[in-house]
Amino acid sequence: MRIPQQPGQWARAEHFLASPGRWHKVDLVRRRKASAPGGWVYEAHLMLLGSGYTAPAVRAMREQAAALDRTGGVDGNVSNLSVVSLPASLDPGKEAPASTEITLSPEERALLEREAEKRRGRARALERSRRAANTEQYGLSKKQARRAEQREAKGLEPKAVTVPGGGRAARSDGVPKQAFRQDRISGGYRKLRAHQAEAAASASEHRSHRARAVAREIIAVHGPTLVVEDCDIRTWYRLWGKRLSQTTPGLLVAALERECQAAGGRLVRAATWSTALSQHCLCGERVNKSLRDREHKCIACGLVGKRDMVSAALASFVRFADVDDPKTAYLDITASRHAQIIFSEGLEEALRESTTPCQNTPRGAGRVAVPRQRGTSAPRTAGRRSRATPDEPRPVRDHAGKPGHRPGCNSQLTLW
């Protein structure tokens, strides 16, 4: 633990320091911090044998969420995270369906672009410093070599190049002749590298804090019983790494899973092969959509809504023969059609726009984006684009298993 210095945090310090019997070890450590005077800070780290601290407001929220009799579904993709929940008993007298969409506002995207530009600038500065301190390990660039030839042709003295821009001296197989760890490094390089590591750690902590805050807001509205598709996000990073570094869907789903467990529920994963949530409607009709189709339109029942919202609503009707095995998941079309009949108007409204109140929207209701950040998350434009958008990965058919018996998809059990 780190004893906080700001006011209003004494309860956290008292939780760890009130029981000396749990104290295990105390260490005095020196930690590198480029922004501190001298570049170092000294801290006393105390190891405790016990549980962590939970704020009273968070405990009250988790207890209230555990009492909610709701079942929800989560649909995560590259650009947003959609959550739709309904009453578990499908009683029309209870609360109406609720939906939440996690997006990034234009202000947040601009802020992320500025931070990315700063990272690129620091990386370029580090590369220039390394090249300036190890000029013999790098060759001239094409432009520098052309200028040297022009000076030689005019009979001028060769000009010394302080920062060569060419490739590194390497062997015939491409391996550098001198290892990077043997390069000379200046004091400015070490200082700039420390600033870069500190900025990276700060950004990582900010993303983790955002994921925890968003997960708690979702649990407070939709309850701790959620179903999400079992997708391998590593394949997403190979296709859309830059976009994922901004929205971090994997971090949000992991934080949501921890919050579900803390509130007494569970985040269950369902296979994509046996459910095909993005290709079905609540009435049981199969509605085939390509990646560029961001709006769901069913010809059979006339349901119109966002593709991600409809997939999240269908995820709440996924049933399992074995909860621990995602391959045993199947879609209960009977229950989904029954819910569509009972919550007709409220469900259509939830599938078109987010119904969760948001604190950072001027109108009081909208999307839940980064909590207490600058600006408001803009609504997503639904419809068909002229080209494919990287909003969903293509189905991977080798990790989710082959479709087995799905009693919920039997045509004789549907009400349509």
Side-chain angles (χ1 to χ4, degrees):
M1 64 155 297
R2 183 178 299 170
I3 300 178
Q5 298 178 355
Q6 61 269 23
Q9 298 291 333
W10 175 247
R12 177 184 176 88
E14 188 179 10
H15 171 78
F16 293 104
L17 302 179
S19 302
R22 297 188 300 171
W23 297 1
H24 178 62
K25 188 179 181 181
V26 178
D27 287 336
L28 181 63
V29 300
R30 186 181 70 164
R31 182 169 58 88
R32 181 67 168 165
K33 187 175 182 181
S35 60
W40 297 92
V41 291
Y42 295 86
E43 299 173 344
H45 287 193
L46 175 63
M47 184 181 295
L48 302 175
L49 302 178
S51 59
Y53 173 75
T54 305
V58 176
R59 289 197 299 267
M61 181 276 297
R62 290 174 178 173
E63 293 176 358
Q64 184 178 3
L68 295 177
D69 187 20
R70 301 182 69 88
T71 303
V74 181
D75 181 79
N77 54 46
V78 180
S79 60
N80 56 21
L81 186 74
S82 302
V83 186
V84 177
S85 64
L86 298 92
S89 59
L90 299 180
D91 188 0
K94 293 188 176 182
E95 297 181 1
S99 61
T100 302
E101 189 174 22
I102 312 298
T103 58
L104 290 178
S105 67
E107 292 80 5
E108 293 163 354
R109 293 186 182 277
L111 178 62
L112 291 174
E113 289 295 337
R114 290 195 297 268
E115 295 297 330
E117 182 63 28
K118 291 181 181 179
R119 288 196 302 270
R120 290 192 293 267
R122 285 191 292 264
R124 288 194 296 266
L126 287 174
E127 182 66 17
R128 287 194 302 267
S129 177
R130 180 183 290 272
R131 287 175 177 270
N134 303 271
T135 56
E136 68 280 359
Q137 299 298 328
Y138 295 91
L140 300 179
S141 64
K142 294 181 179 180
K143 187 176 182 179
Q144 292 171 346
R146 185 170 58 253
R147 287 182 178 179
E149 292 175 358
Q150 292 175 357
R151 291 182 65 87
E152 184 179 359
K154 294 179 181 180
L156 301 176
E157 295 182 358
K159 187 176 181 179
V161 179
T162 57
V163 183
R168 190 176 177 92
R171 303 181 312 192
S172 59
D173 56 353
V175 178
K177 294 182 178 180
Q178 177 177 300
F180 285 93
R181 63 177 180 275
Q182 297 179 359
D183 289 351
R184 293 186 299 271
I185 295 177
S186 62
Y189 184 93
R190 292 187 176 90
K191 186 176 181 180
L192 184 59
R193 185 172 57 183
H195 279 285
Q196 185 184 35
E198 185 177 350
S202 177
S204 177
E205 180 61 28
H206 173 73
R207 288 193 296 267
S208 300
H209 173 73
R210 171 186 178 266
R212 290 193 299 268
V214 170
R216 288 169 184 171
E217 292 186 3
I218 292 176
I219 295 300
V221 175
H222 303 280
T225 305
L226 301 174
V227 179
V228 66
E229 290 182 331
D230 186 21
C231 298
D232 191 359
I233 302 182
R234 294 175 297 180
T235 60
W236 300 11
Y237 272 95
R238 287 195 288 267
L239 297 174
W240 311 293
K242 182 179 179 181
R243 180 73 64 85
L244 286 171
S245 64
Q246 296 179 350
T247 56
T248 62
L251 195 62
L252 290 175
V253 173
L256 195 59
E257 184 175 6
R258 290 192 296 268
E259 286 297 327
C260 287
Q261 294 177 357
R266 185 177 179 181
L267 181 67
V268 187
R269 299 180 181 272
T272 58
W273 177 274
S274 58
T275 55
L277 301 180
S278 61
Q279 307 298 323
H280 281 91
C281 181
L282 292 174
C283 65
E285 189 72 16
R286 189 174 181 91
V287 182
N288 296 324
K289 295 183 287 291
S290 61
L291 290 177
R292 70 180 63 181
D293 297 326
R294 307 315 307 169
E295 188 175 3
H296 174 87
K297 294 181 179 179
C298 182
I299 303 177
C301 64
L303 178 64
V304 178
K306 289 188 175 182
R307 171 189 180 137
D308 303 330
M309 291 292 189
V310 175
S311 299
L314 284 172
S316 61
F317 298 103
V318 172
R319 305 294 182 257
F320 297 86
D322 185 5
V323 181
D324 297 327
D325 188 4
K327 299 179 182 179
T328 61
Y330 63 92
L331 189 58
D332 191 355
I333 299 297
T334 304
S336 64
R337 178 57 179 162
H338 182 58
Q340 185 182 12
I341 297 174
I342 295 177
F343 306 103
S344 57
E345 297 182 358
L347 187 57
E348 290 183 1
E349 180 182 359
L351 297 182
R352 289 194 182 98
E353 294 293 339
S354 176
T355 60
T356 304
C358 182
Q359 298 178 358
N360 49 354
T361 51
R363 298 185 302 274
R367 285 158 173 69
V368 179
V370 182
R372 297 175 181 84
Q373 292 290 322
R374 307 178 182 89
T376 306
S377 295
R380 182 178 176 85
T381 303
R384 183 181 179 91
R385 296 191 58 178
S386 58
R387 60 185 179 87
T389 56
D391 290 318
E392 278 192 10
R394 289 175 173 79
V396 181
R397 300 176 182 268
D398 56 351
H399 78 282
K402 295 182 179 180
H405 176 63
R406 296 183 291 174
C409 296
N410 191 348
S411 57
Q412 297 180 357
L413 299 179
T414 58
L415 302 178
W416 179 253

